[in-house]
Amino acid sequence: MTKEPSRLSRALSDYPLIPLTLLLVVLVVALELLRPGIVNERWIANTIKFAIPLAMLAACQTLTMLTGGIDLSAGVAATVVAFVMATQVPVLGVPLAIAVSLIPAIAMGLLNGFGIAICRVHPLIMTLGTGLVATGCLQVYQRFVIASGSVVPESLAWLGTGRTLGLPNSLALFLPFAALILLAQRQTGFGRLLYAIGSNEGAARLSGVRTWQVYFTLYALSGVIAGITGLLYVGLIKAPSLSLVNPMLLPSVAAAVVGGTSIFGGRGGYGGTILGALILTVLGTLLTLVQIPEGARGVFFGLIILAVTAIYMRLTNQT
Amino acid sequence: MTQTLAKHGWTLGLAALFAALLILTKMIQPDFGLSGLDSLGRAALPFAFATAAMTVVVLAGGIDLSVASMMAVASVTGARLMDGATETEAVWIVGFVLVVGLCMGAINGALIVFTRVPDIVVTLSMLFVWEGTALLILQGPEGGCAVWLTNLILGGLTLPLLPEGLTNWLPKSVVLVIVVLGVIWVPIRRSKLGLSIYAVGSDPLAAYRSGVSLGQTRIIAYALAGLLAALGGLSLTMSTGIGEPIPGPYLMASVAAVVLGGVALTGGKGGLMGPILAVFVLRLVRMDLTLLSVDPNVTTIIEGTIMVVVVMFGGLLALRGRIR
Amino acid sequence: MTQILPRSPLLNAQGVSKRFGAVAALKDASLSLAKGEIVALMGANGAGKSTLVKILTGALRHDNGQILIKGQDRRIGSPRAARRAGLVPVYQEPSLIPDLDVRDNLRLGDTPVEPFLHWVSELGLPDLRLDAMIGRLPLASLRILDLARAIAAEPDVLLLDEMTAALPADLVDRVLTVVRAQADAGRSVIYISHRFTEISTLCDRATVLRDGVTVGDLPIEPGIEERIVELMLGAGVASAAQSRPPKPRPAGQKPRLSVRGLAAGTKLTDVSFDLHAGEVLGVVALEGQGQDEVFDVLAGARKSLRGTVLVKGEPAHFAHPADAIAKGLTFVPGDRAHALLMQRSVRENIALPLLARLRNWGPIAMAAEGARVGAAIERLQIDTRAQGEVRRLSGGNQQKVTIARWVAKGVDTVLLFDPTRGIDVRTKRQIYDLVRDLADQGAAVLYYTSELAEIRLACDRAIVIFGGRVVDQIEASAASDAHLMRAAYGLTEKDRATEKDGATA
């Protein structure tokens, strides 16, 4: 069971992004072979445009998974923020609407943090429950604002769909965001504590870490990230709805997992997740191009996620 | 005596809560009777089977996110095959669907055991796979269902030798759940297989050292979950008469019921009674709120809140116990 | 090298080897066992003991070599197969299912109930209920149940891995008696333990492993301990460390830590002691006398019921380990798995306490951290060849990391709970040296040990806890094993007096 890793697997577990990058390249090459000429500047911009919200929502999963948790309320939080923002713009104006809309996401995060840190509820259950409650609240909220209508601000539409010099504008939001997370996970005390709690919460406590502080901060942060994702996504889709971001929840978990973050905590990072989101997006295009029924696409999508994770875990000797 | 009470305290509490809710329902709606119970039973049916499926894997220390998708596969398989089939052929079709369920579950289990990928990840992937499979079988809600199957869950129970009044108040759907789950679970729970399932969920290393085959037990637990999910899918077809390829809200609901039912997500602790009771409690709450003409959206909030509050309260209680 | 070949080996393993990737865990291990014989399997950590045990019990497969059981070549694929071959192990950790009761656990392993109950009562637990939940039983009882279950299976070979590690001394005696009786009845026993006293009273022979090779096979006779230590360590290692000369304490100095009337949980009722700067205070107690609670309370991991704790003369209250650390009290738990981030690097493990406070959540000064961690690694002589993940280190190096963490943070008062449990002789001596070093530099050390000899090797003074109270205090240089043992059993004059008082009152 405790197998000593070979040199290759050690190298891979020291540089876990190499096989993922290779996989991404293989997928893109396969796409180009299948439909020559498809991989052009426009396609790349488009792929990035759709991968960014996924990668951002997957940041919620990555950060929480590092502590051995998960945030299944992230999709709902994103939806709530997008919907509240869009319905409040006619009343409050854009800046204030955005500020107000983030409040429910933070509240959800704090509720998650309370349940997980103080009541010791399993994150899967806690975030699931918070998501249910928030969905209900959103439906009730909708009844009250149905008259006022909704507006997606120009600025968000520009950010979500616009392009500058051939590159999607959303990169202006995403690049600093990703840089911040990548830096934070390795080079800040908070980032280290996420790994520490995920590896051994008791040991972290004995070393003087007040874990509740970390959990509250983490899940509130996850709520905020989900909220920002919601704002970006509604700018991309331009039509707020009651389940806007929800379908992206499970893919966001998949992106983090494919990217090599361990669901048991203490291992992985956001770099892999970004690649995971790109891989899933390219895979989606690939499966749409191959003319097979919708059902078969789902089957392949699931099998490929599983295969990638299995191979990757074997390569980096995680089993 | 006290030990039994301590062991089954949670379940007994749920049963008391259910009884109290029934009385409350009768107070809200004085003519609440068979038809009310009947619609409660039929609404609860797919949830009960989904929850039973989830319970078995959770007891074995796992989780199955693909329960709802497997239900969809079973539902469309049954509906498509039964479309135009005779009543006797339907018997074989039901058997076939159950075997399909067993196989789907066994595939989930085997993938978990042989790839060594965490169960959450495997069943998350299989969620897409089974969902896709269901869409391949039927593109939209269509198909048919044998009449005897539909009748199986319609109305009150009548037994040949007993006077109708004695049993008629009991909806057939509730009896079906109890009988089917009893027939499947009770012999297993009593056997060494049942012990092995609890052992694997409780402490895999100790189980292995006690001579339990971990892989085999896990695969069987997942296969059982597949079988129960197939029953859930069939019950969907029974109550609607058609097959539905899009998975319903059974994943979240079954996890909620498992937790409310006093089963530890870490595995090895709890039973099947609690979660099934929890399903009926949750359905009855929803029904009462509808009877009180509360906005159905508020109902969702209340359900979610009940779940969150109960798990938080349970968590705090467990914490208390540990400190003392 | 003396080789004694038993007349008719029941189990005979020759030239067993096992590689994990590039690392050879076993190169040429041999072990033979005659009917009715008790053989001690000895070796420092990393010598390949546990690999050999895993191979014999079916948890691993060997690459080369031969394992003959009753003359037949066997490859054992699983614990079940080992059982069929007549080989039943009792592992270091209990292998009973916590969420099942005793009866169901027996059914699971096909253990006959009657003989099991016989052995349980023979081993000193006559009141066991079959419907008791395993998860609610104390650790020591679980070890006994494990052993009884193994004996009830009527094995040819019993494999006992650190069987007595978590047992109170009275149960240890029972276990040794029963194991001896089993051998006399014709069963063979492979006995793994770090305790020389047990080995010299119980075993017939000792097989010594070093670096994956069997380097010795010697009969147990008086004075054999030094020879075994030499074999385990290899050539050129100094003999046992000398005991520490008593240390004069400046008069009128305020104690670093004062504990008065401390009570917690059900076991700890009334413990008081003073711990001075520059002092190593040993704690001696049988299993479960309240010493765990003392350490947990002082570490902030458990709430006290009564009593006061004074740090440098000021009352202190710890609601969380962070409070204790803020007051300079740092805790090294007995179980390394409770202290380490197994999948993280040595550096992250050692730097962890530096980042715990909210104000350190920001960017890390990487260079300064690296220097601090590097100094601690150097001081503890941690083998950093596999520093990417702590789980790849040997047990001794892991233990050093748990201590290095606090050395890097700066040591004020250290609470060491059995820091040498289950680690090899060489590392043990390094830890004694370190503890002295820390004390000489002004640290105060509270040192619980399950090995009585360590009181003289590492401590200045010792207190003995029995039944939740301090029953004896003694200078380490005057603490003979016999004296400590008597005290640990509560057989001191003072205690007899209080008992009498209690009877008359």
Side-chain angles (χ1 to χ4, degrees), chain A residues 119 125 128 133 136 139 295 299 302 314, chain B residues 125 132 252 255 265 297 301 304 315:
Chain A
C119 306
I125 303 303
L128 200 65
V133 175
Q139 283 164 351
V299 172
R314 186 96 358 137
Chain B
S125 312
M252 304 284 180
V255 174
L265 269 186
N297 294 320
I301 304 182

Side-chain angles (χ1 to χ4, degrees), chain C residues 208-500:
Chain C
V208 184
L209 277 175
R210 185 178 73 234
D211 297 333
V213 180
T214 298
V215 291
D217 186 5
L218 358 106
I220 300 289
E221 50 199 35
I224 198 76
E225 287 89 343
E226 275 306 307
R227 175 86 187 107
I228 292 177
V229 170
E230 265 170 45
L231 280 171
M232 288 199 299
L233 296 178
V237 175
S239 62
Q242 258 109 65
S243 74
R244 188 168 196 198
K247 194 172 168 187
R249 189 181 310 134
Q253 183 199 25
K254 241 184 205 165
R256 174 70 60 75
L257 175 69
S258 289
V259 173
R260 290 285 171 271
L262 194 66
T266 52
K267 287 173 185 156
L268 180 62
T269 49
D270 177 15
V271 158
S272 307
F273 61 86
D274 286 334
L275 173 63
H276 293 268
E279 182 186 45
V280 182
L281 177 63
V283 177
V284 173
L286 302 175
E287 199 72 23
Q289 302 302 313
Q291 68 272 36
D292 304 63
E293 287 81 357
V294 172
F295 277 76
D296 285 350
V297 167
L298 291 178
R302 178 191 273 268
K303 289 192 177 77
S304 62
L305 294 173
R306 282 188 307 281
T308 50
V309 176
L310 303 174
V311 179
K312 291 171 190 159
E314 286 171 26
H317 174 75
F318 310 137
H320 187 279
D323 298 334
I325 292 166
K327 290 278 185 184
L329 269 65
T330 52
F331 174 50
V332 177
D335 187 347
R336 294 185 287 276
H338 291 165
L340 291 173
L341 317 173
M342 286 295 178
Q343 313 124 326
R344 306 308 303 172
S345 66
V346 170
R347 176 178 177 149
E348 279 181 47
N349 268 279
I350 294 178
L352 181 56
L354 304 174
L355 307 169
R357 305 281 294 270
L358 204 53
R359 59 161 188 259
N360 298 325
W361 279 15
I364 300 168
M366 296 301 271
E369 185 194 88
R372 261 186 158 182
V373 170
I377 288 177
E378 190 128 319
R379 182 152 179 205
L380 274 101
Q381 302 165 12
I382 296 170
D383 180 354
T384 52
R385 272 176 302 175
Q387 60 175 316
E389 283 181 278
V390 161
R391 64 180 177 137
R392 293 185 193 149
L393 298 182
S394 70
N397 275 308
Q398 288 182 353
Q399 185 68 57
K400 286 180 183 173
V401 171
T402 63
I403 301 174
R405 178 181 285 171
W406 301 115
V407 171
K409 175 118 165 55
V411 171
D412 198 16
T413 306
V414 202
L415 315 166
L416 296 173
F417 194 91
D418 221 0
T420 60
R421 180 192 291 174
I423 63 176
D424 63 279
V425 178
R426 187 201 299 261
T427 311
K428 275 184 181 178
R429 290 183 186 169
Q430 285 174 343
I431 287 177
Y432 304 150
D433 289 344
L434 177 79
V435 168
R436 290 177 166 202
D437 220 37
L438 291 174
D440 289 343
Q441 288 171 17
V445 183
L446 190 68
Y447 190 109
Y448 167 75
T449 174
S450 55
E451 247 182 86
L452 297 178
E454 288 195 344
I455 294 298
R456 290 189 302 283
L457 292 169
C459 305
D460 296 306
R461 210 156 52 87
I463 56 172
V464 181
I465 300 179
F466 176 74
R469 289 175 299 131
V470 174
V471 293
D472 197 14
Q473 287 205 39
I474 186 169
E475 290 296 323
S477 52
S480 70
D481 281 4
H483 180 103
L484 290 173
M485 190 52 97
R486 276 177 62 81
Y489 273 104
L491 299 170
T492 58
E493 297 304 320
K494 205 169 77 190
D495 193 59
R496 269 187 222 141
T498 35
E499 241 170 54
K500 218 174 272 169

